[in-house]
Amino acid sequence: MKPTQIDIIILSNTDSAQKKKMTEECVESLLASENKNAIQFNVVIVESCKAFPGYDSRYGRTILPSKKFGFNRFLNIGIAATAADLVCLCNNDLIFHPHWASHMISAMAGDP
């Protein structure tokens, strides 16, 4: 059985080492939160700091829009870069708890 695909759009503004670490911790907690054989996360980081070169590919894909930042605009840029049926829109200050996604999928299946 193929894993459930979930596109994760993370907005980031990496204008300091502290914010870079925060985003990396966010993605690391995400990737560790579920069994990779059951759920696969496709991470897209939409970065608003024009001077930041992007994240290492182990954190997913980084998009550096040339447009002026707008919260909804940047979420839409991230969504346009994905294709999964399930999409989660996130800020970079989140820490994901174990099984968060599988619990949400179970809840959606129980009450579509």
Side-chain angles (χ1 to χ4, degrees):
M1 189 166 159
K2 292 173 63 174
T4 300
Q5 301 284 314
I6 303 176
D7 291 335
I8 306 291
I9 312 302
I10 298 175
L11 298 187
S12 178
N13 181 23
T14 310
D15 59 4
S16 69
Q18 179 183 6
K19 288 182 182 177
K20 181 177 188 278
K21 182 179 181 206
M22 180 173 60
T23 301
E24 290 171 346
E25 289 173 348
C26 172
V27 176
E28 288 165 0
S29 71
L30 169 72
L31 297 176
S33 70
E34 294 286 350
N35 179 331
K36 293 176 183 160
N37 295 321
I39 297 178
Q40 181 179 345
F41 298 116
N42 307 309
V43 180
V44 175
I45 301 170
V46 185
E47 178 60 49
S48 60
C49 181
K50 306 290 187 236
F52 186 69
Y55 284 89
D56 184 294
S57 62
R58 67 186 162 146
Y59 294 107
R61 178 176 162 206
T62 304
I63 297 175
L64 299 157
S66 59
K67 297 180 180 184
K68 181 180 174 187
F69 176 77
F71 187 80
N72 292 333
R73 175 184 300 129
F74 275 38
L75 288 175
N76 286 329
I77 289 169
I79 291 168
T82 63
D85 291 335
L86 299 174
V87 178
C88 184
L89 307 174
C90 308
N91 285 333
N92 62 335
D93 60 351
L94 295 176
I95 296 296
F96 292 87
H97 293 273
H99 312 293
W100 71 273
S102 53
H103 290 304
M104 291 182 76
I105 290 169
S106 293
M108 288 187 295
D111 187 12

